Amino acid sequence: GTTRLNAPLDSVRAESSGTRRTICAGQPIAGAGNLGLGSATFTNNGTVNANLNGLTLTLALDFSSGIGNDFTNGKTGVLESTNGGLISVVGGRFINAGGLVSATINATSSFTQTSGTIDLSGGDITVSIGLDLNGGILEGTGKIIGDLRNTSGDVAPGHSAGTVTVTGAYTQGTKGLLDMQLGGKPSSTANDKVVVSGQVTLTGDLNVTLINGFKPSVGDVYTLIAASAVSGSFSTITLNGFTGQVDYSSNG
């Protein structure tokens, strides 16, 4: 069945230290309130949907100490916000191994993705201490408000084409991948782009693919990354369907 939380102080709580709570596959929790009160560990294998306009569904919050335990979005789990609902992650650690879909999230604690998908389309993610992409894919069009550290994941803007905006710094590790698509002339919105307010530090892989039958012209120049400062370079560059070169400047 469905568990509905309808008020800011409604809660699904696990009081005892070391207690584990699991939302089972196919089972939804929806609304606004609190999940994970007390010193318990929550795993979501179902669907958690913050769907009350202007109200917040809070994960892993301990009212007594302000410190919660882990909240894991499992491989079959879906975490989303619809109808103007908000998700807050406070205390403990948030680990995503499943699907974050159009979720507007404010995370004041650790935020790590180990596998699965973050789909930014329709939602922005605020990360006070940064987002660690240790696996899986980050896609869609939207904002990471804070730092993005792509250690060993795949950053692939848009669905076909889109823009990922990072208001902090973007760091790509040796096992990180930036997966970009070109579908129009350089001034077109049919091309992927990463826009970073702060410093970009690069290594790892770059993969560029043509989509929708598009073929660029000789001399076309595409800005894949725009930033305040850029250091480093990609270790491996793969261009699919065309020949070109990657140039590095102080800001892109």
Side-chain angles (χ1 to χ4, degrees):
T2 299
T3 300
R4 299 191 186 278
L5 307 178
N6 294 314
L9 295 181
D10 280 357
S11 63
V12 174
R13 51 193 305 145
E15 299 278 356
S16 302
S17 177
T19 300
R20 301 185 181 208
R21 292 288 183 263
T22 300
I23 303 166
C24 296
Q27 305 308 312
I29 289 182
N34 299 282
L35 291 179
L37 293 171
S39 53
T41 297
F42 261 72
T43 299
N44 174 38
N45 292 324
T47 299
V48 174
N49 184 3
N51 63 354
L52 294 183
N53 185 29
L55 296 181
T56 299
L57 184 63
T58 300
L59 309 181
L61 174 66
D62 184 336
F63 273 141
S64 62
S65 65
I67 300 174
N69 276 332
D70 295 353
F71 189 102
T72 299
N73 194 41
K75 290 186 177 181
T76 63
V78 175
L79 184 64
E80 60 186 350
S81 58
T82 59
N83 194 39
L86 307 171
I87 296 172
S88 177
V89 182
V90 182
R93 299 180 299 172
F94 176 77
I95 301 167
N96 181 48
L100 264 62
V101 183
S102 303
T104 300
I105 297 176
N106 181 18
T108 59
S109 56
S110 168
F111 192 137
T112 302
Q113 174 163 291
T114 57
S115 61
T117 300
I118 295 174
D119 184 350
L120 291 175
S121 298
D124 298 335
I125 296 178
T126 300
V127 280
S128 297
I129 59 176
L131 192 162
D132 291 293
L133 195 64
N134 295 343
I137 186 170
L138 186 151
E139 63 184 6
T141 293
K143 289 182 180 180
I144 301 295
I145 302 171
D147 295 340
L148 175 59
R149 296 178 287 268
N150 181 11
T151 304
S152 50
D154 180 0
V155 174
H159 299 287
S160 291
T163 299
V164 169
T165 300
V166 180
T167 67
Y170 175 70
T171 304
Q172 181 162 304
T174 56
K175 296 182 180 180
L177 170 64
L178 183 62
D179 206 353
M180 308 293 279
Q181 297 180 323
L182 305 178
K185 299 299 289 182
S187 60
S188 171
T189 57
N191 308 305
D192 284 345
K193 193 171 184 179
V194 176
V195 178
V196 182
S197 299
Q199 169 80 33
V200 169
T201 305
L202 295 174
T203 182
D205 299 337
L206 170 67
N207 184 62
V208 186
T209 305
L210 303 177
I211 58 173
N212 301 325
F214 174 70
K215 294 183 179 180
S217 301
V218 173
D220 282 351
V221 177
Y222 292 85
T223 300
L224 301 181
I225 299 174
S228 64
V230 175
S231 65
S233 60
F234 296 106
S235 302
T236 303
I237 297 168
T238 304
L239 307 178
N240 300 282
F242 68 103
T243 301
Q245 68 183 38
V246 174
D247 296 326
Y248 301 91
S249 70
S250 62
N251 62 354

